[in-house]
Amino acid sequence: MNSYVKKDLKYIWHPCSQMKDYEELNPIVIEKGEGVWLYDIDGNRYLDCISSWWTNTLGHSNKRINEAIKRQVDSIEHVIFANFSNKPAIELAEKLVNITPEKLKKVFFSDNGSSAVEIALKMSFHYNMQKGNSKKKRFVALSDAYHGETLGALSVCDIDEFNLVYKPLLLDTFRVEGPDCYRCKYGFSRESCDAECFENMEKCLSKNHDDISAVIVEPMVQGAAGMKIYSSIYLKKLRKLCDKYEVHLIADEIAMGFGRTGEMFACNHAQISPDFMCLSKGISAGYMPMSVVMTTDEIYNCFYGDYKDRKSFIHSHTYSGNAMGCAIALENLKIFEEDNIINNNIEKGELIRKLTIKKAKNLNHVGEVRSIGMITAIEIVKDKETKESYPWQTRVGYEIYKIALKKGLLLRPIGDVLYFIPPYIINKEEIEFMVNTCYESIDEYFHREETMV
């Protein structure tokens, strides 16, 4: 064990981890990154097929973004964002208004995804209080939802691993059974359905709309639920229902925005415009913490007035509108346009999907391969016919992850769902290595288990 690993284990408490696991699988100390590859201090390399928690859009150590940082750091790194501003923030806000759905005209800056969700929830509630809608104090979220890990964000999550122990502290949220296309109760597929499962949302809003401030959803893909992909028809119906009952629609595009689903934003698949859109992760290409909440002129105007009116939205983050982060985001979006990233993603995503499906045909434990844009997920099941999952204690996904690491592939499973969300600059050879290595790791795991039996 080298000295860096020893110090890491001595001083650092890692996120989303059981630290006891690190006794067996020590932290991997990364020294540098280049393109889709990460290099550790022992000379090993790993293909980062999850874009380092879904953030790294254009590869590690992207030369153009590196240069943008160097230019900006010589001007201004950060300035207070209350009554002050900076050029990159202004230019980025204009750019975001131009590329997001049409109703979204105002940009509120923050520094991470959970904060963006908190801001959207607070804005929606505060708007209703100022409008005299004093009963509208609750929110609606889908089953298996994930929206972040601060208390407000956790209140609209529905994954026990994250929020079970904190439930006594959380807001009283309406939870609606959401789409589950792999195990559809109605017998349809996501390609052929009319979002029959939307009836659950319809019942909730028709009965409780007087008490509901907003519905929050992850458009098209529920990420932490295991990349559960659903029909755009669900979103179309949701937009109409929210309009009917005067309920805000919050689109949490933190994970799926900026090209992940084959469109710049996942809402574009349904051609809808939400009342709030939360953006983070890919906005700064994985370089710096940044998030924004986009909203409408109507909502903005509700907070506009004199201090004596007590209408102001008094919410702030120290690094709001950080000039460095904004300069990175601007360069990121320029590269999107100049390198035709979205169209290229469609071709690369299709290649990943085809290779993954081809490899899955002869494997008994691959229940479903599902994909959209640059996302492809492989759900491992105990029984392919019944779609029965393994008990969570089995940790099949984690065992496959450990095997893949030794082969130079960074998979980060969600339970027993393995997935590919690589940087957009990945090439054909790297795609083939990624898919082949994943399946080699699956094969090796089940061969080992059968041998042990």
Side-chain angles (χ1 to χ4, degrees), residues 301-450:
N301 289 336
C302 185
F303 292 87
Y304 199 85
D306 294 327
Y307 257 106
K308 68 179 188 305
D309 298 328
R310 303 187 74 84
K311 285 187 171 184
S312 304
F313 185 62
I314 305 297
H315 183 109
S316 63
H317 286 272
T318 302
Y319 289 98
S320 296
N322 176 263
M324 297 290 293
C326 291
I328 291 167
L330 277 171
E331 191 65 25
N332 180 33
L333 292 175
K334 286 179 184 176
I335 295 170
F336 264 75
E337 290 180 358
E338 294 169 13
D339 292 356
N340 202 19
I341 294 292
I342 299 297
N343 286 337
N344 290 337
N345 279 2
I346 293 171
E347 294 180 13
K348 291 178 181 180
E350 182 64 13
L351 175 59
I352 295 169
R353 185 185 73 85
K354 286 181 177 178
L355 289 174
T356 307
I357 290 173
K358 183 179 178 181
K359 287 279 185 180
K361 284 181 179 178
N362 299 320
L363 292 178
N364 294 327
H365 295 282
V366 174
E368 183 185 42
V369 173
R370 47 185 175 264
S371 66
I372 182 171
M374 282 291 280
I375 303 169
T376 296
I378 304 162
E379 182 158 348
I380 305 295
V381 294
K382 187 175 182 180
D383 189 302
K384 201 168 183 176
E385 294 301 317
T386 64
K387 303 179 182 178
E388 180 187 357
S389 300
Y390 281 93
W392 67 269
Q393 299 94 332
T394 310
R395 302 187 77 195
V396 174
Y398 178 70
E399 294 300 320
I400 295 170
Y401 159 71
K402 291 193 295 184
I403 294 168
L405 276 176
K406 294 178 181 178
K407 298 176 182 293
L409 183 67
L410 170 53
L411 286 169
R412 175 84 187 185
I414 302 167
D416 292 339
V417 177
L418 310 169
Y419 62 91
F420 305 129
I421 305 185
Y424 302 152
I425 51 91
I426 192 170
N427 63 36
K428 183 176 181 292
E429 292 73 23
E430 290 163 340
I431 288 171
E432 290 172 347
F433 171 83
M434 177 179 74
V435 176
N436 290 339
T437 304
C438 178
Y439 277 106
E440 286 171 12
S441 302
I442 295 171
D443 271 340
E444 186 171 321
Y445 170 76
F446 284 108
H447 178 72
R448 185 182 74 191
E449 293 301 299
E450 290 165 6

Side-chain angles (χ1 to χ4, degrees), residues 88-108:
I90 295 166
E91 292 173 9
L92 177 60
E94 180 182 33
K95 184 68 176 176
L96 289 171
V97 167
N98 288 337
I99 65 174
T100 50
E102 60 181 355
K103 285 173 60 178
L104 303 174
K105 302 297 185 184
K106 291 292 188 290
V107 181
F108 194 96

Side-chain angles (χ1 to χ4, degrees), residues 1 14 41 61 65 131 239 259 265 269 289 301 343 363 415:
M1 186 184 297
H14 287 267
I41 56 177
S61 195
I65 293 179
K131 285 291 187 179
R239 177 68 276 180
F265 302 102
H269 287 278
N301 289 336
N343 286 337
L363 292 178

Side-chain angles (χ1 to χ4, degrees), residues 27-72:
I28 297 166
V29 182
I30 296 301
E31 189 164 42
K32 68 173 184 176
E34 186 176 350
V36 299
W37 297 97
L38 298 168
Y39 297 83
D40 71 18
I41 56 177
D42 296 316
N44 303 307
R45 73 172 188 168
Y46 310 88
L47 195 150
D48 185 2
C49 74
I50 62 159
S51 295
S52 288
W53 260 341
W54 320 348
T55 64
N56 191 281
T57 52
L58 301 175
H60 298 281
S61 195
N62 182 282
K63 288 183 172 53
R64 283 189 57 176
I65 293 179
N66 290 354
E67 290 301 317
I69 293 171
K70 293 172 187 175
R71 290 193 300 270
Q72 185 59 42

Side-chain angles (χ1 to χ4, degrees), residues 182-199:
Y182 176 42
R183 297 175 176 85
C184 179
K185 294 181 178 180
Y186 304 84
F188 294 103
S189 70
R190 66 179 63 87
E191 292 80 18
S192 64
C193 74
D194 192 41
E196 282 76 8
C197 58
F198 188 75
E199 67 176 0

Side-chain angles (χ1 to χ4, degrees), residues 136-201:
K136 287 183 173 289
K137 298 176 181 178
R138 297 179 68 184
F139 300 97
V140 179
L142 296 179
S143 56
D144 295 332
Y146 177 83
H147 298 288
E149 293 167 41
T150 49
L151 288 177
L154 272 181
S155 296
V156 289
C157 287
D158 187 45
I159 298 176
D160 282 349
E161 188 171 3
F162 295 106
N163 66 344
L164 181 61
V165 70
Y166 304 108
K167 282 188 176 179
L169 302 176
L170 304 182
L171 302 174
D172 185 16
T173 298
F174 290 109
R175 305 206 179 273
V176 171
E177 185 178 356
D180 189 350
C181 298
Y182 176 42
R183 297 175 176 85
C184 179
K185 294 181 178 180
Y186 304 84
F188 294 103
S189 70
R190 66 179 63 87
E191 292 80 18
S192 64
C193 74
D194 192 41
E196 282 76 8
C197 58
F198 188 75
E199 67 176 0
N200 302 312
M201 182 67 75

